[in-house]
């Protein structure tokens, strides 16, 4: 667990022991989402995909409260990624294996305050550290137009592409779904931008409570 000295945040890998906190965060965040309607909150619990991947969490170091999280899964083909994301990838300039992001969630009231930027820096560093037969070719995520994290992802170098098809069984889109792709060749620049985003003035620990 690594504390952030400026804000007393802690970033760590979450496990099944954190399942209740992860589920509560996802359900609270998705219930207030403006970009989609989630069909069944029960599907936001800890699942086999969480066990197979890595779930990163950002916590308040003083209270231990989970503030934001994202799931990372390494996927080796377009067919597997399409099944995982439930959106078509035909014709998109992707490469495999890729780090696929899902279940991103921020505590309601704390969006657009740099929490996802800290998680982004961590997963970009993980991607950069991959090598040999496990070398990742890029980072892929499903996002929605005008969602709070999309602008910072674009600033970090992610390209936005419309899916070739959508067959989402989990959510009803209220804004256009987009596939955010960061190719390996843009990773160094993305890391520099992510570090710059994290270095910008952040909240004091005492302010890490949702706006009422």
């Amino acid at each position: 667990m690594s504390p952030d000295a400026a804000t007393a945040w802690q970033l760590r890998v979450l496990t099944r022991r954190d399942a209740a906190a992860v589920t509560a965060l996802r359900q609270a965040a998705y219930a207030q989402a403006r970009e989609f309607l989630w069909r069944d909150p029960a599907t936001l619990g800890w699942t086999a995909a969480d066990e197979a991947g890595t779930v990163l969490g950002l916590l308040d170091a003083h209270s231990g409260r989970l503030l934001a999280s994202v799931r990372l899964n390494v996927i080796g083909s377009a067919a597997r990624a399409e099944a995982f994301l439930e959106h078509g990838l035909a014709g998109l300039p992707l490469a495999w294996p890729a780090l696929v992001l899902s279940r991103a969630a921020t505590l309601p009231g704390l969006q657009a305050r740099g929490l996802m930027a800290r998680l982004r820096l961590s997963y970009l560093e993980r991607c950069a550290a991959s090598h040999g037969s496990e070398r990742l070719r890029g980072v892929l995520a499903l996002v929605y137009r005008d969602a709070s994290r999309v602008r910072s992802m674009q600033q970090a170098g992610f390209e936005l592409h419309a899916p070739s098809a959508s067959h989402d069984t989990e959510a009803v889109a209220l804004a256009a779904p987009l596939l955010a792709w960061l190719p390996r060749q843009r990773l160094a620049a993305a890391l520099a931008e992510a570090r710059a985003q994290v270095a910008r003035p952040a909240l004091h620990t005492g302010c890490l409570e949702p706006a009422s």
Side-chain angles (χ1 to χ4, degrees):
M1 184 182 296
S2 55
D4 181 313
T7 61
W9 295 345
Q10 293 178 329
L11 176 66
R12 68 174 172 87
V13 173
L14 304 177
T15 70
R16 181 178 289 276
R17 291 191 298 272
D18 303 294
V22 171
T23 301
L25 173 65
R26 291 172 177 171
Q27 290 178 343
Y30 287 26
Q32 294 196 17
R34 298 179 179 179
E35 300 83 23
F36 56 82
L37 291 174
W38 200 260
R39 297 178 190 272
D40 182 4
T43 62
L44 294 170
W46 192 272
T47 68
D50 297 289
E51 287 292 319
T54 299
V55 181
L56 296 179
L58 192 67
L59 301 89
D60 184 305
H62 295 298
S63 67
R65 189 179 193 184
L66 183 60
L67 306 175
S69 71
V70 65
R71 183 171 68 196
L72 322 175
N73 291 86
V74 175
I75 293 184
S77 69
R80 286 187 58 208
E82 283 192 351
F84 188 80
L85 295 173
E86 298 189 332
H87 286 78
L89 306 178
L92 301 188
L94 310 178
W96 311 99
L99 190 64
V100 178
L101 315 180
S102 59
R103 294 296 195 261
T106 301
L107 195 66
L110 295 182
Q111 297 92 339
R113 301 202 192 182
L115 305 184
M116 275 296 159
R118 280 173 154 67
L119 293 175
R120 182 176 308 122
L121 177 58
S122 179
Y123 67 66
L124 290 179
E125 289 175 339
R126 288 167 178 265
C127 185
S130 64
H131 61 279
S133 62
E134 297 182 352
R135 185 173 185 266
L136 297 170
R137 304 287 299 281
V139 181
L140 179 66
L142 176 68
V143 298
Y144 293 86
R145 191 179 303 280
D146 300 326
S148 59
R149 66 185 177 129
V150 170
R151 173 181 283 187
S152 62
M153 291 180 78
Q154 288 182 286
Q155 290 171 342
F158 280 81
E159 308 165 353
L160 298 181
H161 301 278
S164 59
S166 295
H167 46 278
D168 197 331
T169 62
E170 295 185 318
V172 178
L174 303 179
L178 298 167
L179 292 158
W181 169 246
L182 181 73
R184 179 90 191 192
Q185 57 267 32
R186 293 189 183 179
L187 187 54
L191 276 166
E193 174 59 26
R195 291 181 180 120
Q197 290 176 1
V198 166
R200 289 168 192 156
L203 292 174
H204 295 294
T205 306
C207 299
L208 288 177
E209 289 298 329
S212 56

